[in-house]
């Protein structure tokens, strides 16, 4: 830590403050002594946020609704969860109020087959990055690869029901990253200097097949979790109504391209935090109860 008094740092506005990453960013900033403004679309969501966070209601689709939260803020953690049409107006408002923005993006420029498949989210992220670059804002882009927490949405229902986990492309490899490591990097780049202009692809420390990840979760639960290959067509059929077709196609294409390819791995988390990223085994151990009860993160 530099010798800067944290009280001298203007508040940081966290968008997506009740989301998987944003919620942990709020905690990380408060732990570092930074004043936090948490943006939520619905005031009822504020009950899940710490009392020390100042809660603002606002919506990315209504750019002017962000003004109260932006007035007097110094930096923004931007998680874009809305349709693209208001992106330009929102970025314009950010540049009028704050000095720094940290964008949660994706590794769409990474030269690895897993990240090179057609992806509507990547197109949106690239557009937002261009808009930010054109403003002259101090900016940092963080690009997590596959989030470890995706496995809660994907595999927890079968594991809770003590069923075989059936999934396509079990041999596809990824390097799942713990949400807590992504949030810690975001918090660090929001309130400390030295990261302006930084563009970081964040990954976990090891390449694991999807079947191996299911096995690791089973180990954390103390049982054998069986994995069975599912055809892509069956996955498409079962996903109808639960996810947009374009997302399903993107996932299948990415997994297909990742078979037989070790995952893309970076040292960015260790470089920024000074500690190694958590392993998937550690993540699974810390989230074991979420696979046996409740529906946390799903």
């Amino acid at each position: 830590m530099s010798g800067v008094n944290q009280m001298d740092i203007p508040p940081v506005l966290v968008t997506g403050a009740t989301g998987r990453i944003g919620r942990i960013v709020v905690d990380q900033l408060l732990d570092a002594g930074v004043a936090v403004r948490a943006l939520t679309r619905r005031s009822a969501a504020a009950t899940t946020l710490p009392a020390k966070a100042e809660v603002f209601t606002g919506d990315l689709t209504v750019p002017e609704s962000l003004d109260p939260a932006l007035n007097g803020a110094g930096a923004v953690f931007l998680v874009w969860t809305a349709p693209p049409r208001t992106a330009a107006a929102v970025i314009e408002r950010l540049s009028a109020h704050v000095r720094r923005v940290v964008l949660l993006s994706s590794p769409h420029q990474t030269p690895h087959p897993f990240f090179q498949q057609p992806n509507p989210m990547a197109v949106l992220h690239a557009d937002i990055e261009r808009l930010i670059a054109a403003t002259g804002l101090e900016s940092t882009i963080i690009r997590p690869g596959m989030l470890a927490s995706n496995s809660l949405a994907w595999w927890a229902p079968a594991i809770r029901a003590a069923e075989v986990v059936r999934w396509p492309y079990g041999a596809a490899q990824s390097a799942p990253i713990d949400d807590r490591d992504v949030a810690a990097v975001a918090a660090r780049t929001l309130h400390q200097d030295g990261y302006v202009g930084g563009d970081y692809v964040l990954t976990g420390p090891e390449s694991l097949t999807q079947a191996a990840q299911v096995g690791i979760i089973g180990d954390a639960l103390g049982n054998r979790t069986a994995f069975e290959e599912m055809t892509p067509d069956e996955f498409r059929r079962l996903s109808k109504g639960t996810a947009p077709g374009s997302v399903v196609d993107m996932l299948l294409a990415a997994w297909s391209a990742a078979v037989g390819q070790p995952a893309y791995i970076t040292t960015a988390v260790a470089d920024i935090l000074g500690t190694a990223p958590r392993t998937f085994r550690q993540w699974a151990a810390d989230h074991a109860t979420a696979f046996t009860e409740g529906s946390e993160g799903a």
Side-chain angles (χ1 to χ4, degrees), residues 15 39 41 58-63 65-66 78-82 86-87 90:
T15 69
L39 188 76
R41 284 204 306 269
D59 194 319
L60 294 172
T61 64
V62 187
S65 72
L66 307 178
L78 183 59
V79 183
W80 196 271
T81 53
T86 54
V90 167

Side-chain angles (χ1 to χ4, degrees), residues 63-158:
E64 61 272 21
S65 72
L66 307 178
D67 287 354
L70 287 168
N71 282 330
V76 174
F77 179 52
L78 183 59
V79 183
W80 196 271
T81 53
R85 63 185 171 74
T86 54
V90 167
I91 304 302
E92 198 179 313
R93 277 191 138 69
L94 298 192
S95 67
H97 287 88
V98 303
R99 194 167 54 96
R100 180 180 300 183
V101 62
V102 174
L103 174 68
L104 183 71
S105 188
S106 52
H108 56 83
Q109 301 162 330
T110 301
H112 185 282
F114 186 80
F115 298 116
Q116 289 304 305
Q117 308 314 305
N119 179 345
M121 201 63 186
V123 174
L124 170 63
H125 284 150
D127 286 343
I128 292 174
E129 288 165 33
R130 276 194 293 274
L131 289 167
I132 290 171
T135 62
L137 275 160
E138 291 182 3
S139 67
T140 307
I141 313 291
I142 59 174
R143 308 178 185 279
M146 190 60 79
L147 293 172
S149 58
N150 285 342
S151 58
L152 282 168
W154 292 345
W155 303 324

Side-chain angles (χ1 to χ4, degrees), residues 3 7 36 54-55 79 117 120 129 132 159 167 184 194 210 260 283:
M7 302 317 291
V36 173
E54 192 180 358
V55 179
V79 183
Q117 308 314 305
E129 288 165 33
I132 290 171
I159 292 170
W167 204 250
Q210 299 201 92
W283 179 88

Side-chain angles (χ1 to χ4, degrees), residues 17 19 27 49 54 80 94 111 139 176 181 204 213-214 240 243 264 267 297:
D27 287 340
L49 290 159
E54 192 180 358
W80 196 271
L94 298 192
S139 67
D181 289 329
Q213 291 170 38
V214 170
K240 267 205 170 64
Y264 185 81
T267 61

